[in-house]
Amino acid sequence: MSNITTDNFGRVEYAGSEGPRIDLNALYDDSDNSVVLLGVGNILLTDEGLGVHVVNDLERNYTFTPAISIIDGGTMGMELLTYMRGMKKILLVDAINGGEVPGTVYEFPHKELETYFTEHISVHEVGMQDILRIRAIQEDPLEDAVVIGVEPLSLEVGFEPSEPVAKALPNVKERVLRTLESWGITCTPK
């Protein structure tokens, strides 16, 4: 039996194959959760895991000031509402089936999110649309929301993104950092 303390829980929440690691402070405290960086996807299905790979990489390699909530949402659905209490701004990273060439990077600002959820389909987007609508009913409207993603090539079983998606990852990370900085977050490499 392992010795588990709250010190073992980090800022990133893990779902999917590892099972969730819950940040108890985010659940029970009134800590600041105003900016959420959320990556969703299944890391067992090559390009579908893009969002999770991006947020985990940024969490490992950057410090964010003021602190933001970084969530590896894996394939969670409605459970994500727990992590969005008090959220004012969300940046969602996901694989997007938009019909373009694999590796195409998409960015949808707040005003275009309804179109994004209507016209672009992935395993998670129906759930994300429902989650954001329920959250909107429960709390004040979001101040801002952005979706950044990449057209997948492969959704086959595998742990690494395909070549065109891997080539697009630096562009995705740059867009994520630029968006966070536009929201007043200082992104400092570790």
Side-chain angles (χ1 to χ4, degrees):
M1 181 159 197
S2 62
N3 181 15
I4 299 175
T5 67
T6 56
D7 294 338
N8 293 335
F9 297 104
R11 293 288 298 161
V12 174
E13 315 310 323
Y14 294 90
S17 63
E18 292 185 20
R21 293 183 190 164
I22 299 169
D23 179 350
L24 296 175
N25 291 327
L27 291 176
Y28 301 115
D29 285 353
D30 289 327
S31 60
D32 186 8
N33 194 35
S34 62
V35 176
V36 173
L37 172 58
L38 171 63
V40 293
N42 187 336
I43 61 170
L44 303 176
L45 301 177
T46 54
D47 296 342
E48 176 63 23
L50 150 78
V52 174
H53 291 301
V54 169
V55 299
N56 287 335
D57 179 80
L58 291 171
E59 195 276 333
R60 276 191 308 273
N61 294 303
Y62 284 84
T63 301
F64 301 97
T65 309
I68 64 173
S69 293
I70 302 173
I71 303 171
D72 168 349
T75 57
M76 287 192 288
M78 291 299 188
E79 304 90 41
L80 287 170
L81 281 168
T82 304
Y83 301 97
M84 295 182 180
R85 188 183 76 221
M87 177 178 67
K88 302 292 183 209
K89 298 177 183 180
I90 185 169
L91 200 167
L92 172 65
V93 184
D94 194 5
I96 298 173
N97 292 324
E100 298 296 327
V101 175
T104 299
V105 178
Y106 300 96
E107 183 169 348
F108 300 99
H110 198 170
K111 293 176 183 174
E112 296 177 22
L113 285 183
E114 193 66 35
T115 301
Y116 164 76
F117 285 126
T118 303
E119 297 177 0
H120 301 88
I121 305 300
S122 91
V123 175
H124 307 285
E125 286 152 11
V126 172
M128 284 307 303
Q129 182 179 15
D130 294 336
I131 289 165
L132 290 175
R133 284 184 176 156
I134 290 169
R135 189 239 161 249
I137 292 168
Q138 294 175 335
E139 298 188 42
D140 292 333
L142 289 172
E143 293 174 10
D144 205 353
V146 174
V147 174
I148 299 174
V150 178
E151 182 78 36
L153 172 66
S154 170
L155 300 178
E156 301 295 319
V157 174
F159 295 107
E160 299 296 324
S162 66
E163 184 178 342
V165 170
K167 285 182 178 179
L169 290 181
N171 185 350
V172 171
K173 292 174 194 173
E174 179 182 313
R175 288 172 184 245
V176 168
L177 294 171
R178 185 173 52 234
T179 299
L180 291 172
E181 288 171 352
S182 76
W183 290 346
I185 307 297
T186 301
C187 309
T188 308
K190 289 184 179 178

mmCIF file of all heavy atoms in Angstrom, residues 92-140:
data_model
loop_
_atom_site.group_PDB
_atom_site.id
_atom_site.type_symbol
_atom_site.label_atom_id
_atom_site.label_comp_id
_atom_site.label_asym_id
_atom_site.label_seq_id
_atom_site.Cartn_x
_atom_site.Cartn_y
_atom_site.Cartn_z
ATOM 1 N N LEU A 92 -9.096 25.756 -24.729
ATOM 2 C CA LEU A 92 -9.266 24.331 -24.972
ATOM 3 C C LEU A 92 -8.361 23.898 -26.112
ATOM 4 O O LEU A 92 -8.360 24.525 -27.171
ATOM 5 C CB LEU A 92 -10.733 24.044 -25.323
ATOM 6 C CG LEU A 92 -11.072 22.638 -25.797
ATOM 7 C CD1 LEU A 92 -10.844 21.620 -24.690
ATOM 8 C CD2 LEU A 92 -12.505 22.591 -26.302
ATOM 9 N N VAL A 93 -7.603 22.803 -25.902
ATOM 10 C CA VAL A 93 -6.736 22.243 -26.938
ATOM 11 C C VAL A 93 -7.244 20.840 -27.245
ATOM 12 O O VAL A 93 -7.394 20.012 -26.345
ATOM 13 C CB VAL A 93 -5.259 22.207 -26.490
ATOM 14 C CG1 VAL A 93 -4.368 21.709 -27.616
ATOM 15 C CG2 VAL A 93 -4.801 23.582 -26.007
ATOM 16 N N ASP A 94 -7.478 20.567 -28.550
ATOM 17 C CA ASP A 94 -8.093 19.302 -28.940
ATOM 18 C C ASP A 94 -7.747 18.993 -30.390
ATOM 19 O O ASP A 94 -7.362 19.884 -31.152
ATOM 20 C CB ASP A 94 -9.613 19.421 -28.778
ATOM 21 C CG ASP A 94 -10.354 18.093 -28.825
ATOM 22 O OD1 ASP A 94 -9.710 17.035 -28.881
ATOM 23 O OD2 ASP A 94 -11.596 18.130 -28.788
ATOM 24 N N ALA A 95 -7.927 17.732 -30.778
ATOM 25 C CA ALA A 95 -7.884 17.353 -32.187
ATOM 26 C C ALA A 95 -9.217 17.771 -32.797
ATOM 27 O O ALA A 95 -10.260 17.629 -32.173
ATOM 28 C CB ALA A 95 -7.674 15.852 -32.321
ATOM 29 N N ILE A 96 -9.180 18.313 -34.013
ATOM 30 C CA ILE A 96 -10.384 18.841 -34.650
ATOM 31 C C ILE A 96 -10.538 18.252 -36.042
ATOM 32 O O ILE A 96 -9.636 18.377 -36.874
ATOM 33 C CB ILE A 96 -10.321 20.381 -34.743
ATOM 34 C CG1 ILE A 96 -10.250 20.986 -33.341
ATOM 35 C CG2 ILE A 96 -11.508 20.919 -35.532
ATOM 36 C CD1 ILE A 96 -10.030 22.476 -33.326
ATOM 37 N N ASN A 97 -11.677 17.619 -36.279
ATOM 38 C CA ASN A 97 -11.995 17.092 -37.606
ATOM 39 C C ASN A 97 -12.699 18.176 -38.407
ATOM 40 O O ASN A 97 -13.917 18.262 -38.428
ATOM 41 C CB ASN A 97 -12.892 15.858 -37.491
ATOM 42 C CG ASN A 97 -12.173 14.689 -36.875
ATOM 43 O OD1 ASN A 97 -10.989 14.477 -37.107
ATOM 44 N ND2 ASN A 97 -12.885 13.928 -36.065
ATOM 45 N N GLY A 98 -11.905 19.023 -39.070
ATOM 46 C CA GLY A 98 -12.469 20.127 -39.832
ATOM 47 C C GLY A 98 -12.472 19.906 -41.321
ATOM 48 O O GLY A 98 -12.924 20.756 -42.083
ATOM 49 N N GLY A 99 -11.944 18.757 -41.768
ATOM 50 C CA GLY A 99 -11.959 18.446 -43.191
ATOM 51 C C GLY A 99 -10.791 19.001 -43.978
ATOM 52 O O GLY A 99 -10.766 18.896 -45.205
ATOM 53 N N GLU A 100 -9.813 19.581 -43.300
ATOM 54 C CA GLU A 100 -8.643 20.132 -43.994
ATOM 55 C C GLU A 100 -7.517 19.096 -44.027
ATOM 56 O O GLU A 100 -7.666 17.979 -43.539
ATOM 57 C CB GLU A 100 -8.175 21.412 -43.294
ATOM 58 C CG GLU A 100 -9.192 22.528 -43.296
ATOM 59 C CD GLU A 100 -9.523 23.049 -44.688
ATOM 60 O OE1 GLU A 100 -8.626 23.053 -45.569
ATOM 61 O OE2 GLU A 100 -10.680 23.443 -44.904
ATOM 62 N N VAL A 101 -6.390 19.483 -44.555
ATOM 63 C CA VAL A 101 -5.211 18.621 -44.639
ATOM 64 C C VAL A 101 -4.725 18.287 -43.227
ATOM 65 O O VAL A 101 -4.677 19.183 -42.366
ATOM 66 C CB VAL A 101 -4.090 19.345 -45.423
ATOM 67 C CG1 VAL A 101 -2.811 18.538 -45.439
ATOM 68 C CG2 VAL A 101 -4.557 19.675 -46.823
ATOM 69 N N PRO A 102 -4.367 17.017 -42.946
ATOM 70 C CA PRO A 102 -3.825 16.681 -41.630
ATOM 71 C C PRO A 102 -2.658 17.590 -41.264
ATOM 72 O O PRO A 102 -1.797 17.880 -42.104
ATOM 73 C CB PRO A 102 -3.379 15.230 -41.785
ATOM 74 C CG PRO A 102 -4.311 14.686 -42.823
ATOM 75 C CD PRO A 102 -4.503 15.825 -43.801
ATOM 76 N N GLY A 103 -2.659 18.061 -40.028
ATOM 77 C CA GLY A 103 -1.638 18.989 -39.559
ATOM 78 C C GLY A 103 -2.096 20.438 -39.604
ATOM 79 O O GLY A 103 -1.421 21.322 -39.076
ATOM 80 N N THR A 104 -3.250 20.716 -40.234
ATOM 81 C CA THR A 104 -3.792 22.078 -40.262
ATOM 82 C C THR A 104 -4.114 22.514 -38.832
ATOM 83 O O THR A 104 -4.747 21.777 -38.081
ATOM 84 C CB THR A 104 -5.083 22.138 -41.117
ATOM 85 O OG1 THR A 104 -4.773 21.759 -42.455
ATOM 86 C CG2 THR A 104 -5.693 23.530 -41.102
ATOM 87 N N VAL A 105 -3.654 23.708 -38.474
ATOM 88 C CA VAL A 105 -3.911 24.245 -37.139
ATOM 89 C C VAL A 105 -5.140 25.154 -37.213
ATOM 90 O O VAL A 105 -5.247 26.004 -38.091
ATOM 91 C CB VAL A 105 -2.688 25.031 -36.605
ATOM 92 C CG1 VAL A 105 -2.994 25.633 -35.236
ATOM 93 C CG2 VAL A 105 -1.472 24.125 -36.527
ATOM 94 N N TYR A 106 -6.058 24.950 -36.277
ATOM 95 C CA TYR A 106 -7.273 25.751 -36.174
ATOM 96 C C TYR A 106 -7.207 26.589 -34.902
ATOM 97 O O TYR A 106 -6.675 26.146 -33.889
ATOM 98 C CB TYR A 106 -8.510 24.857 -36.063
ATOM 99 C CG TYR A 106 -8.741 23.923 -37.216
ATOM 100 C CD1 TYR A 106 -8.303 22.601 -37.177
ATOM 101 C CD2 TYR A 106 -9.438 24.352 -38.350
ATOM 102 C CE1 TYR A 106 -8.541 21.730 -38.221
ATOM 103 C CE2 TYR A 106 -9.679 23.482 -39.404
ATOM 104 C CZ TYR A 106 -9.230 22.176 -39.337
ATOM 105 O OH TYR A 106 -9.473 21.320 -40.380
ATOM 106 N N GLU A 107 -7.795 27.775 -34.981
ATOM 107 C CA GLU A 107 -7.948 28.603 -33.783
ATOM 108 C C GLU A 107 -9.292 29.306 -33.882
ATOM 109 O O GLU A 107 -9.575 29.995 -34.856
ATOM 110 C CB GLU A 107 -6.820 29.625 -33.669
ATOM 111 C CG GLU A 107 -6.909 30.456 -32.405
ATOM 112 C CD GLU A 107 -5.658 31.283 -32.156
ATOM 113 O OE1 GLU A 107 -4.626 31.064 -32.829
ATOM 114 O OE2 GLU A 107 -5.713 32.158 -31.289
ATOM 115 N N PHE A 108 -10.130 29.072 -32.869
ATOM 116 C CA PHE A 108 -11.459 29.659 -32.829
ATOM 117 C C PHE A 108 -11.573 30.560 -31.613
ATOM 118 O O PHE A 108 -11.556 30.081 -30.486
ATOM 119 C CB PHE A 108 -12.534 28.567 -32.752
ATOM 120 C CG PHE A 108 -12.516 27.627 -33.924
ATOM 121 C CD1 PHE A 108 -11.890 26.398 -33.824
ATOM 122 C CD2 PHE A 108 -13.108 27.979 -35.121
ATOM 123 C CE1 PHE A 108 -11.865 25.533 -34.901
ATOM 124 C CE2 PHE A 108 -13.093 27.116 -36.211
ATOM 125 C CZ PHE A 108 -12.468 25.888 -36.093
ATOM 126 N N PRO A 109 -11.699 31.875 -31.838
ATOM 127 C CA PRO A 109 -11.921 32.779 -30.712
ATOM 128 C C PRO A 109 -13.344 32.634 -30.186
ATOM 129 O O PRO A 109 -14.192 31.984 -30.801
ATOM 130 C CB PRO A 109 -11.680 34.163 -31.314
ATOM 131 C CG PRO A 109 -11.878 34.002 -32.776
ATOM 132 C CD PRO A 109 -11.569 32.575 -33.107
ATOM 133 N N HIS A 110 -13.601 33.249 -29.075
ATOM 134 C CA HIS A 110 -14.867 33.146 -28.350
ATOM 135 C C HIS A 110 -16.089 33.297 -29.264
ATOM 136 O O HIS A 110 -17.022 32.506 -29.193
ATOM 137 C CB HIS A 110 -14.885 34.206 -27.250
ATOM 138 C CG HIS A 110 -15.902 33.943 -26.187
ATOM 139 N ND1 HIS A 110 -15.935 34.654 -25.034
ATOM 140 C CD2 HIS A 110 -16.928 33.076 -26.091
ATOM 141 C CE1 HIS A 110 -16.913 34.228 -24.260
ATOM 142 N NE2 HIS A 110 -17.535 33.270 -24.885
ATOM 143 N N LYS A 111 -16.095 34.293 -30.129
ATOM 144 C CA LYS A 111 -17.258 34.570 -30.965
ATOM 145 C C LYS A 111 -17.532 33.463 -31.979
ATOM 146 O O LYS A 111 -18.631 33.364 -32.505
ATOM 147 C CB LYS A 111 -17.082 35.904 -31.690
ATOM 148 C CG LYS A 111 -17.086 37.094 -30.750
ATOM 149 C CD LYS A 111 -16.824 38.377 -31.491
ATOM 150 C CE LYS A 111 -16.761 39.539 -30.498
ATOM 151 N NZ LYS A 111 -16.364 40.780 -31.127
ATOM 152 N N GLU A 112 -16.531 32.635 -32.276
ATOM 153 C CA GLU A 112 -16.701 31.579 -33.269
ATOM 154 C C GLU A 112 -16.930 30.198 -32.654
ATOM 155 O O GLU A 112 -17.036 29.214 -33.369
ATOM 156 C CB GLU A 112 -15.471 31.524 -34.181
ATOM 157 C CG GLU A 112 -15.275 32.782 -34.998
ATOM 158 C CD GLU A 112 -14.004 32.733 -35.831
ATOM 159 O OE1 GLU A 112 -13.499 31.631 -36.109
ATOM 160 O OE2 GLU A 112 -13.516 33.811 -36.205
ATOM 161 N N LEU A 113 -17.029 30.121 -31.325
ATOM 162 C CA LEU A 113 -17.144 28.810 -30.679
ATOM 163 C C LEU A 113 -18.420 28.069 -31.057
ATOM 164 O O LEU A 113 -18.401 26.857 -31.231
ATOM 165 C CB LEU A 113 -17.065 28.946 -29.157
ATOM 166 C CG LEU A 113 -15.681 29.217 -28.607
ATOM 167 C CD1 LEU A 113 -15.728 29.254 -27.094
ATOM 168 C CD2 LEU A 113 -14.685 28.183 -29.075
ATOM 169 N N GLU A 114 -19.522 28.770 -31.203
ATOM 170 C CA GLU A 114 -20.768 28.093 -31.575
ATOM 171 C C GLU A 114 -20.616 27.424 -32.938
ATOM 172 O O GLU A 114 -21.028 26.287 -33.134
ATOM 173 C CB GLU A 114 -21.931 29.088 -31.587
ATOM 174 C CG GLU A 114 -23.288 28.422 -31.643
ATOM 175 C CD GLU A 114 -23.607 27.612 -30.398
ATOM 176 O OE1 GLU A 114 -23.204 27.996 -29.283
ATOM 177 O OE2 GLU A 114 -24.283 26.582 -30.549
ATOM 178 N N THR A 115 -19.960 28.113 -33.879
ATOM 179 C CA THR A 115 -19.692 27.518 -35.188
ATOM 180 C C THR A 115 -18.777 26.321 -35.041
ATOM 181 O O THR A 115 -18.993 25.273 -35.655
ATOM 182 C CB THR A 115 -19.044 28.563 -36.119
ATOM 183 O OG1 THR A 115 -19.926 29.667 -36.241
ATOM 184 C CG2 THR A 115 -18.754 27.976 -37.488
ATOM 185 N N TYR A 116 -17.756 26.443 -34.213
ATOM 186 C CA TYR A 116 -16.826 25.336 -33.971
ATOM 187 C C TYR A 116 -17.573 24.099 -33.498
ATOM 188 O O TYR A 116 -17.419 23.013 -34.031
ATOM 189 C CB TYR A 116 -15.787 25.763 -32.930
ATOM 190 C CG TYR A 116 -15.021 24.626 -32.304
ATOM 191 C CD1 TYR A 116 -14.005 23.989 -32.999
ATOM 192 C CD2 TYR A 116 -15.319 24.198 -31.020
ATOM 193 C CE1 TYR A 116 -13.307 22.942 -32.425
ATOM 194 C CE2 TYR A 116 -14.623 23.153 -30.448
ATOM 195 C CZ TYR A 116 -13.618 22.534 -31.146
ATOM 196 O OH TYR A 116 -12.940 21.501 -30.569
ATOM 197 N N PHE A 117 -18.424 24.254 -32.499
ATOM 198 C CA PHE A 117 -19.128 23.104 -31.950
ATOM 199 C C PHE A 117 -20.166 22.556 -32.918
ATOM 200 O O PHE A 117 -20.536 21.404 -32.846
ATOM 201 C CB PHE A 117 -19.787 23.461 -30.615
ATOM 202 C CG PHE A 117 -18.805 23.568 -29.489
ATOM 203 C CD1 PHE A 117 -18.754 24.710 -28.722
ATOM 204 C CD2 PHE A 117 -17.950 22.527 -29.198
ATOM 205 C CE1 PHE A 117 -17.846 24.809 -27.669
ATOM 206 C CE2 PHE A 117 -17.049 22.622 -28.153
ATOM 207 C CZ PHE A 117 -16.998 23.767 -27.389
ATOM 208 N N THR A 118 -20.666 23.364 -33.823
ATOM 209 C CA THR A 118 -21.681 22.923 -34.777
ATOM 210 C C THR A 118 -21.059 22.217 -35.977
ATOM 211 O O THR A 118 -21.578 21.216 -36.456
ATOM 212 C CB THR A 118 -22.499 24.135 -35.278
ATOM 213 O OG1 THR A 118 -23.071 24.781 -34.139
ATOM 214 C CG2 THR A 118 -23.598 23.703 -36.221
ATOM 215 N N GLU A 119 -19.922 22.723 -36.466
ATOM 216 C CA GLU A 119 -19.386 22.246 -37.740
ATOM 217 C C GLU A 119 -18.203 21.288 -37.620
ATOM 218 O O GLU A 119 -17.862 20.638 -38.596
ATOM 219 C CB GLU A 119 -18.958 23.441 -38.593
ATOM 220 C CG GLU A 119 -20.130 24.348 -38.954
ATOM 221 C CD GLU A 119 -19.704 25.563 -39.738
ATOM 222 O OE1 GLU A 119 -18.496 25.722 -40.010
ATOM 223 O OE2 GLU A 119 -20.579 26.362 -40.093
ATOM 224 N N HIS A 120 -17.554 21.184 -36.489
ATOM 225 C CA HIS A 120 -16.365 20.359 -36.349
ATOM 226 C C HIS A 120 -16.623 19.284 -35.308
ATOM 227 O O HIS A 120 -17.030 19.579 -34.203
ATOM 228 C CB HIS A 120 -15.156 21.219 -35.954
ATOM 229 C CG HIS A 120 -14.886 22.288 -36.963
ATOM 230 N ND1 HIS A 120 -15.487 23.518 -36.890
ATOM 231 C CD2 HIS A 120 -14.124 22.291 -38.080
ATOM 232 C CE1 HIS A 120 -15.083 24.250 -37.923
ATOM 233 N NE2 HIS A 120 -14.271 23.530 -38.659
ATOM 234 N N ILE A 121 -16.340 18.057 -35.681
ATOM 235 C CA ILE A 121 -16.721 16.933 -34.846
ATOM 236 C C ILE A 121 -15.495 16.156 -34.371
ATOM 237 O O ILE A 121 -14.597 15.866 -35.129
ATOM 238 C CB ILE A 121 -17.633 15.961 -35.637
ATOM 239 C CG1 ILE A 121 -18.844 16.708 -36.202
ATOM 240 C CG2 ILE A 121 -18.074 14.784 -34.794
ATOM 241 C CD1 ILE A 121 -19.730 17.363 -35.168
ATOM 242 N N SER A 122 -15.477 15.826 -33.079
ATOM 243 C CA SER A 122 -14.546 14.845 -32.537
ATOM 244 C C SER A 122 -15.268 14.129 -31.415
ATOM 245 O O SER A 122 -16.399 14.462 -31.068
ATOM 246 C CB SER A 122 -13.242 15.496 -32.034
ATOM 247 O OG SER A 122 -13.346 15.840 -30.686
ATOM 248 N N VAL A 123 -14.629 13.169 -30.830
ATOM 249 C CA VAL A 123 -15.239 12.400 -29.755
ATOM 250 C C VAL A 123 -15.664 13.306 -28.611
ATOM 251 O O VAL A 123 -16.654 13.061 -27.940
ATOM 252 C CB VAL A 123 -14.235 11.343 -29.243
ATOM 253 C CG1 VAL A 123 -14.786 10.609 -28.034
ATOM 254 C CG2 VAL A 123 -13.912 10.361 -30.356
ATOM 255 N N HIS A 124 -14.939 14.403 -28.369
ATOM 256 C CA HIS A 124 -15.138 15.205 -27.161
ATOM 257 C C HIS A 124 -16.029 16.412 -27.341
ATOM 258 O O HIS A 124 -16.517 16.947 -26.367
ATOM 259 C CB HIS A 124 -13.786 15.670 -26.619
ATOM 260 C CG HIS A 124 -12.871 14.528 -26.440
ATOM 261 N ND1 HIS A 124 -12.994 13.638 -25.413
ATOM 262 C CD2 HIS A 124 -11.859 14.082 -27.207
ATOM 263 C CE1 HIS A 124 -12.079 12.692 -25.547
ATOM 264 N NE2 HIS A 124 -11.391 12.946 -26.617
ATOM 265 N N GLU A 125 -16.236 16.878 -28.564
ATOM 266 C CA GLU A 125 -16.865 18.171 -28.732
ATOM 267 C C GLU A 125 -18.323 18.215 -28.326
ATOM 268 O O GLU A 125 -18.799 19.222 -27.838
ATOM 269 C CB GLU A 125 -16.646 18.681 -30.147
ATOM 270 C CG GLU A 125 -15.208 19.136 -30.271
ATOM 271 C CD GLU A 125 -14.671 19.035 -31.666
ATOM 272 O OE1 GLU A 125 -15.431 18.820 -32.600
ATOM 273 O OE2 GLU A 125 -13.462 19.165 -31.803
ATOM 274 N N VAL A 126 -19.080 17.153 -28.543
ATOM 275 C CA VAL A 126 -20.457 17.164 -28.085
ATOM 276 C C VAL A 126 -20.474 17.324 -26.568
ATOM 277 O O VAL A 126 -21.192 18.130 -26.015
ATOM 278 C CB VAL A 126 -21.208 15.886 -28.533
ATOM 279 C CG1 VAL A 126 -22.577 15.821 -27.889
ATOM 280 C CG2 VAL A 126 -21.319 15.857 -30.055
ATOM 281 N N GLY A 127 -19.621 16.578 -25.883
ATOM 282 C CA GLY A 127 -19.514 16.699 -24.435
ATOM 283 C C GLY A 127 -19.055 18.077 -24.003
ATOM 284 O O GLY A 127 -19.582 18.642 -23.052
ATOM 285 N N MET A 128 -18.076 18.660 -24.707
ATOM 286 C CA MET A 128 -17.582 19.988 -24.347
ATOM 287 C C MET A 128 -18.671 21.041 -24.548
ATOM 288 O O MET A 128 -18.814 21.959 -23.755
ATOM 289 C CB MET A 128 -16.336 20.354 -25.156
ATOM 290 C CG MET A 128 -15.080 19.652 -24.695
ATOM 291 S SD MET A 128 -14.758 19.837 -22.918
ATOM 292 C CE MET A 128 -14.697 21.609 -22.739
ATOM 293 N N GLN A 129 -19.456 20.918 -25.614
ATOM 294 C CA GLN A 129 -20.541 21.863 -25.839
ATOM 295 C C GLN A 129 -21.530 21.803 -24.681
ATOM 296 O O GLN A 129 -21.941 22.831 -24.145
ATOM 297 C CB GLN A 129 -21.245 21.540 -27.150
ATOM 298 C CG GLN A 129 -22.367 22.494 -27.487
ATOM 299 C CD GLN A 129 -23.018 22.147 -28.813
ATOM 300 O OE1 GLN A 129 -22.830 21.060 -29.340
ATOM 301 N NE2 GLN A 129 -23.778 23.069 -29.342
ATOM 302 N N ASP A 130 -21.888 20.606 -24.285
ATOM 303 C CA ASP A 130 -22.813 20.437 -23.159
ATOM 304 C C ASP A 130 -22.221 20.980 -21.872
ATOM 305 O O ASP A 130 -22.909 21.664 -21.100
ATOM 306 C CB ASP A 130 -23.169 18.953 -22.973
ATOM 307 C CG ASP A 130 -23.959 18.396 -24.145
ATOM 308 O OD1 ASP A 130 -24.618 19.186 -24.851
ATOM 309 O OD2 ASP A 130 -23.895 17.169 -24.354
ATOM 310 N N ILE A 131 -20.957 20.696 -21.637
ATOM 311 C CA ILE A 131 -20.291 21.158 -20.419
ATOM 312 C C ILE A 131 -20.286 22.686 -20.350
ATOM 313 O O ILE A 131 -20.606 23.272 -19.321
ATOM 314 C CB ILE A 131 -18.850 20.602 -20.347
ATOM 315 C CG1 ILE A 131 -18.900 19.101 -20.057
ATOM 316 C CG2 ILE A 131 -18.024 21.337 -19.301
ATOM 317 C CD1 ILE A 131 -17.586 18.401 -20.310
ATOM 318 N N LEU A 132 -19.926 23.338 -21.447
ATOM 319 C CA LEU A 132 -19.872 24.801 -21.443
ATOM 320 C C LEU A 132 -21.265 25.409 -21.297
ATOM 321 O O LEU A 132 -21.437 26.445 -20.645
ATOM 322 C CB LEU A 132 -19.167 25.315 -22.697
ATOM 323 C CG LEU A 132 -17.671 25.026 -22.742
ATOM 324 C CD1 LEU A 132 -17.085 25.462 -24.077
ATOM 325 C CD2 LEU A 132 -16.930 25.687 -21.593
ATOM 326 N N ARG A 133 -22.269 24.777 -21.862
ATOM 327 C CA ARG A 133 -23.637 25.301 -21.700
ATOM 328 C C ARG A 133 -24.121 25.139 -20.257
ATOM 329 O O ARG A 133 -24.747 26.041 -19.706
ATOM 330 C CB ARG A 133 -24.579 24.596 -22.670
ATOM 331 C CG ARG A 133 -24.414 25.103 -24.088
ATOM 332 C CD ARG A 133 -25.406 24.489 -25.030
ATOM 333 N NE ARG A 133 -25.259 25.094 -26.342
ATOM 334 C CZ ARG A 133 -25.622 24.518 -27.464
ATOM 335 N NH1 ARG A 133 -26.166 23.318 -27.448
ATOM 336 N NH2 ARG A 133 -25.457 25.124 -28.617
ATOM 337 N N ILE A 134 -23.859 23.988 -19.654
ATOM 338 C CA ILE A 134 -24.254 23.784 -18.253
ATOM 339 C C ILE A 134 -23.517 24.763 -17.360
ATOM 340 O O ILE A 134 -24.092 25.369 -16.462
ATOM 341 C CB ILE A 134 -24.000 22.328 -17.820
ATOM 342 C CG1 ILE A 134 -24.982 21.405 -18.530
ATOM 343 C CG2 ILE A 134 -24.122 22.180 -16.305
ATOM 344 C CD1 ILE A 134 -24.655 19.944 -18.391
ATOM 345 N N ARG A 135 -22.232 24.949 -17.608
ATOM 346 C CA ARG A 135 -21.438 25.889 -16.819
ATOM 347 C C ARG A 135 -21.996 27.299 -16.960
ATOM 348 O O ARG A 135 -22.063 28.054 -16.006
ATOM 349 C CB ARG A 135 -19.980 25.824 -17.276
ATOM 350 C CG ARG A 135 -19.051 26.594 -16.362
ATOM 351 C CD ARG A 135 -18.351 27.650 -17.202
ATOM 352 N NE ARG A 135 -17.829 28.667 -16.342
ATOM 353 C CZ ARG A 135 -18.304 29.907 -16.306
ATOM 354 N NH1 ARG A 135 -19.308 30.274 -17.046
ATOM 355 N NH2 ARG A 135 -17.796 30.802 -15.517
ATOM 356 N N ALA A 136 -22.454 27.661 -18.171
ATOM 357 C CA ALA A 136 -23.014 28.989 -18.405
ATOM 358 C C ALA A 136 -24.304 29.192 -17.622
ATOM 359 O O ALA A 136 -24.603 30.305 -17.177
ATOM 360 C CB ALA A 136 -23.263 29.205 -19.894
ATOM 361 N N ILE A 137 -25.073 28.135 -17.440
ATOM 362 C CA ILE A 137 -26.303 28.224 -16.654
ATOM 363 C C ILE A 137 -25.977 28.400 -15.173
ATOM 364 O O ILE A 137 -26.634 29.150 -14.467
ATOM 365 C CB ILE A 137 -27.167 26.958 -16.862
ATOM 366 C CG1 ILE A 137 -27.698 26.934 -18.296
ATOM 367 C CG2 ILE A 137 -28.301 26.884 -15.852
ATOM 368 C CD1 ILE A 137 -28.318 25.616 -18.686
ATOM 369 N N GLN A 138 -24.909 27.730 -14.712
ATOM 370 C CA GLN A 138 -24.566 27.726 -13.297
ATOM 371 C C GLN A 138 -23.851 28.986 -12.835
ATOM 372 O O GLN A 138 -23.942 29.356 -11.680
ATOM 373 C CB GLN A 138 -23.668 26.521 -12.978
ATOM 374 C CG GLN A 138 -24.362 25.196 -13.139
ATOM 375 C CD GLN A 138 -23.398 24.039 -12.923
ATOM 376 O OE1 GLN A 138 -22.178 24.178 -13.097
ATOM 377 N NE2 GLN A 138 -23.933 22.897 -12.544
ATOM 378 N N GLU A 139 -23.115 29.623 -13.722
ATOM 379 C CA GLU A 139 -22.262 30.739 -13.320
ATOM 380 C C GLU A 139 -22.391 31.893 -14.305
ATOM 381 O O GLU A 139 -23.046 31.783 -15.337
ATOM 382 C CB GLU A 139 -20.804 30.279 -13.243
ATOM 383 C CG GLU A 139 -20.570 29.189 -12.211
ATOM 384 C CD GLU A 139 -19.096 28.891 -12.030
ATOM 385 O OE1 GLU A 139 -18.303 29.839 -11.985
ATOM 386 O OE2 GLU A 139 -18.762 27.703 -11.926
ATOM 387 N N ASP A 140 -21.675 32.993 -13.999
ATOM 388 C CA ASP A 140 -21.639 34.139 -14.898
ATOM 389 C C ASP A 140 -21.034 33.728 -16.237
ATOM 390 O O ASP A 140 -20.241 32.786 -16.296
ATOM 391 C CB ASP A 140 -20.790 35.260 -14.288
ATOM 392 C CG ASP A 140 -21.444 35.862 -13.055
ATOM 393 O OD1 ASP A 140 -22.687 35.814 -12.964
ATOM 394 O OD2 ASP A 140 -20.706 36.375 -12.193
#
